[in-house]
């Protein structure tokens, strides 16, 4: 059982911009990832514990081929803590965006984000994300 669970992924309107060299376009996907502490979690949490989180970008187009590049920016939007505030360290670690196959099967491939988050003394957290494809 995981300490944090995904409460929601809220996508903002994505934006497509033509490249200056005329060779295609850039697409910007952005939104907010909301995580909350699982009330059913029973166990110990150490100050340096991290939890992996993975989610599909909700408004992503399907990708029949790999794009030339994928870049990801993440930032802390809001955090609510419990316990000792001196033990709270937060910010995403090892975050990356990539194209992943549809877990239901088939030929579709979607934009996915994975990261690790510290969990000590965290009750809820929101992260902004922006992916440039």
């Amino acid at each position: 059982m995981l300490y944090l669970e995904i409460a929601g992924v809220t996508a903002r309107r994505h934006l497509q911009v033509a490249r200056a060299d005329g060779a295609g376009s850039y697409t910007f996907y952005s939104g907010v990832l909301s995580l909350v502490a699982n009330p059913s979690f029973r166990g110990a949490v150490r100050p340096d514990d991290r939890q992996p989180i993975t989610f599909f970008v909700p408004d992503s187009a399907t990708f029949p081929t790999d794009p030339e590049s994928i870049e990801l920016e993440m930032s802390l939007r809001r955090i609510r803590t419990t316990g000792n505030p001196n033990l709270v360290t937060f910010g995403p670690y090892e975050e990356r965006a990539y194209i992943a196959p549809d877990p239901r099967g088939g030929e579709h491939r979607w934009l996915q984000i994975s990261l690790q988050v510290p969990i000590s003394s965290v009750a809820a957290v929101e992260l902004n994300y922006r992916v440039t494809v």
Side-chain angles (χ1 to χ4, degrees):
M1 180 177 301
L2 299 175
Y3 180 77
L4 291 176
E5 55 189 16
I6 296 176
V9 179
T10 306
R12 295 188 186 110
R13 188 175 178 146
H14 67 274
L15 175 66
Q16 193 163 13
V17 178
R19 288 174 43 166
D21 61 7
S25 62
Y26 294 108
T27 304
F28 300 94
Y29 298 98
S30 62
V32 177
L33 168 65
S34 300
L35 303 169
V36 295
N38 181 349
S40 301
F41 179 82
R42 300 291 179 255
V45 175
R46 295 180 302 253
D48 58 346
D49 281 351
R50 296 180 188 173
Q51 177 182 319
I53 303 287
T54 302
F55 66 97
F56 284 97
V57 175
D59 62 339
S60 164
T62 61
F63 290 88
T65 61
D66 287 341
E68 286 182 27
S69 67
I70 302 173
E71 296 184 26
L72 172 65
E73 297 174 55
M74 295 196 80
S75 64
L76 180 63
R77 177 184 169 123
R78 185 177 304 156
I79 187 169
R80 192 178 74 219
T81 62
T82 61
N84 187 346
N86 294 327
L87 292 178
V88 176
T89 57
F90 201 83
Y93 293 92
E94 301 174 15
E95 64 271 16
R96 68 183 194 104
Y98 53 94
I99 304 301
D102 191 329
R104 301 169 297 189
E107 75 253 10
H108 294 298
R109 296 171 352 130
W110 307 97
L111 187 58
Q112 188 171 44
I113 295 175
S114 69
L115 61 141
Q116 293 202 16
V117 292
I119 60 174
S120 179
S121 299
V122 174
V125 66
E126 292 179 353
L127 294 169
N128 292 313
Y129 68 85
R130 186 174 82 173
V131 183
T132 304
V133 180

